[in-house]
Amino acid sequence: MDIFEELNLTRYLNAHDTFTKYGASCMRPSTLRAMREISGSCVDLEQVQNHAGDAIARLTHNEGAYLSNGAAGGLMICAAACLARDSEQAYDALPQTGVRREIVVQRAQHNLYDKSFSAAGAKLVFIGGEHTAPTEDELKAAITERTAAVGYFVYHGARHSLDLQRTIQIAHGCGVPVIVDAAAQNPPAENLWRFTAMGADMVVFSGGKALRGPQDSGLILGKREWILRCRRWGPPRDGVCRCCKTSREAMVGLYAAVKTYLQTDEAEEQRKMNRACSRFDSVLRQSGFTNVWRQQTGPVGQSYPRTYGRMPFGRAEDLAAAMKSMGIYIGTDPECNAVILNPLMLTPGQVQQVCRTLRECMEQYRQEEQKHGSN
Ligand SMILES: *Cc1c(COP(=O)(O)O)cnc(C)c1O
């Protein structure tokens, strides 16, 4: 009896996206091997943190790296590092803050992940409008002696934001660090060093999305000075960030995942995904879809192809529900009543399975529609 039977769990293929609630992604054998290897012995967690962090920093062309329990936990540790800086007293008091207690965020970028900053004790100061970027002067005026950091969300509100480069220049001009949430910004791999090369002090990524590390892992990449503060205040130390504890298995798993991720040939991966999309395109056309197109950017601006198909009849949500009942997650775009098929998390065999199931579901759906139509 395997664990699926023992706990009565349902298996799914993920043809939608790296959503946390689906389990996001599946780990590679090399990741699982590293996790199994380290789990048999006790080790000094700080040593694992420092050595894995240094290795990831080298691999990703960064000054430093800290391994967290996810991007959300990483944002909390970054905030704590900015609030406490080098004061033990200030760190131990968190979430009670002293004079330096604010994190400035553009209002258009407001989203539920900025709670990670608040959780460390920071008070959020929003600038600009929901649909208007703040001016450079507004940003300058918002930075005072109370400011611990400027927070920046790469995806949320991107069209109504002051760009990252200018935000960094202004924040640094006022002596304040910038924390960037780039949790889902892979592929391309290059994003692991693009934002830090622009000058961002700490940039946070999910380990469990396209990097395919443990789901409860994340990366803080950035300037040595700030990474050292993350190492000092972050777990295993007790205090406000103790709830972001990362296991040795998650740390070495993430290291192995990043290493393999950077060894894979991105152009070849893109070709594979485009081949999968071609299969999706033809199965949709064969199933009566006349309006089929491909989008090269992922939902938060990543670079990978996805197939869209506008429903020839009925509702995309109903087809997605039927697919889910067959063990496959697919996406929908309610605005244009389209289904979305994403090859990112699928092997070629799984792509075929998705195509087969889609054909079956469409056939059944068509018959049901016709039955209802003739009544
Ligand atoms: C997924 C996501 C997070 C949270 O990442 P975890 O690794 O699940 O903690 C934070 N911010 C953004 C923008 C995300 O997409």
Side-chain angles (χ1 to χ4, degrees):
M1 202 197 293
D2 73 4
I3 202 69
F4 283 89
E5 285 177 60
E6 194 174 328
L7 295 177
N8 188 26
L9 304 174
T10 314
R11 281 173 208 273
Y12 287 97
L13 293 185
N14 182 0
H16 186 183
D17 224 302
T18 55
F19 288 115
T20 295
K21 64 180 178 187
Y22 299 166
S25 64
C26 294
M27 292 185 274
R28 295 184 187 85
S30 53
T31 301
L32 290 164
R33 202 179 316 123
M35 294 173 79
R36 201 173 317 112
E37 275 175 22
I38 203 163
S39 70
S41 304
C42 282
V43 285
D44 179 341
L45 268 197
E46 287 184 33
Q47 189 182 56
V48 183
Q49 174 67 256
N50 296 347
H51 291 197
D54 288 346
I56 289 176
R58 279 193 298 274
L59 287 171
T60 59
H61 319 293
N62 282 291
E63 287 179 24
Y66 181 90
L67 296 87
S68 68
N69 62 342
L75 290 172
M76 184 177 177
I77 294 169
C78 292
C82 293
L83 291 164
R85 292 218 174 182
D86 301 311
S87 162
E88 183 148 354
Q89 218 181 354
Y91 179 74
D92 287 345
L94 293 177
Q96 303 288 348
T97 48
V99 173
R100 197 172 46 239
R101 61 179 179 272
E102 296 175 352
I103 294 188
V104 177
V105 176
Q106 303 188 39
R107 189 174 302 280
Q109 299 183 358
H110 167 56
N111 68 88
L112 287 176
Y113 293 116
D114 58 35
K115 295 267 186 243
S116 291
F117 297 151
S118 321
K123 179 176 172 291
L124 299 183
V125 173
F126 291 109
I127 57 167
E130 246 172 82
H131 300 290
T132 36
T135 62
E136 297 189 2
D137 285 339
E138 274 177 277
L139 176 56
K140 279 180 205 154
I143 300 174
T144 67
E145 79 281 353
R146 294 186 302 278
T147 309
V150 172
Y152 198 99
F153 294 83
V154 172
Y155 165 66
H156 293 89
R159 280 183 302 149
H160 309 295
S161 297
L162 201 56
D163 71 60
L164 179 57
Q165 188 74 76
R166 275 307 285 156
T167 302
I168 292 168
Q169 282 165 354
I170 292 167
H172 286 179
C174 303
V176 163
V178 177
I179 305 168
V180 175
D181 179 351
Q185 300 297 317
N186 300 113
E190 179 205 346
N191 280 349
L192 295 171
W193 48 93
R194 187 160 77 91
F195 307 116
T196 30
M198 286 167 81
D201 298 87
M202 285 162 280
V203 183
V204 170
F205 291 88
S206 276
K209 293 177 180 169
L211 293 176
R212 295 178 59 185
Q215 189 173 18
D216 48 349
S217 72
L219 270 182
I220 305 171
L221 300 171
K223 301 256 175 71
R224 188 81 189 159
E225 153 194 22
W226 287 104
I227 296 302
L228 289 177
R229 291 189 179 108
C230 293
R231 287 181 183 178
R232 181 165 179 201
W233 305 129
R237 188 193 167 94
D238 289 334
V240 74
C241 294
R242 183 59 165 74
C243 56
C244 306
K245 181 174 77 175
T246 310
S247 68
R248 61 188 186 278
E249 290 85 359
M251 287 195 266
V252 298
L254 179 55
Y255 162 69
V258 169
K259 192 168 111 179
T260 313
Y261 180 73
L262 290 172
Q263 281 165 350
T264 48
D265 177 349
E266 280 200 316
E268 177 54 25
E269 290 298 309
Q270 291 287 334
R271 280 192 290 276
K272 264 192 233 166
M273 287 192 281
N274 273 301
R275 279 199 292 276
C277 280
S278 299
R279 285 175 173 267
F280 293 149
D281 297 352
S282 28
V283 84
L284 286 178
R285 290 222 163 78
Q286 285 158 16
S287 304
F289 287 70
T290 48
N291 197 347
V292 176
W293 68 100
R294 206 172 292 181
Q295 196 147 309
Q296 182 54 44
T297 43
V300 300
Q302 315 97 317
S303 171
Y304 51 75
R306 294 175 302 157
T307 288
Y308 279 64
R310 193 191 304 275
M311 293 294 284
F313 55 83
R315 290 172 62 239
E317 279 84 359
D318 294 339
L319 182 58
M323 288 292 283
K324 187 178 167 197
S325 73
M326 302 289 283
I328 297 175
Y329 290 119
I330 65 168
T332 60
D333 182 342
E335 254 173 58
C336 53
N337 196 28
V339 292
I340 306 170
L341 299 165
N342 181 351
L344 183 69
M345 289 298 134
L346 301 173
T347 63
Q350 292 171 339
V351 168
Q352 276 184 328
Q353 197 178 328
V354 171
C355 290
R356 239 185 349 257
T357 309
L358 191 71
R359 196 175 290 128
E360 280 167 28
C361 276
M362 266 310 277
E363 191 48 45
Q364 216 164 30
Y365 192 42
R366 177 187 302 281
Q367 282 169 9
E368 272 165 36
E369 281 287 311
Q370 278 168 351
K371 215 165 23 187
H372 289 297
S374 60
N375 278 347

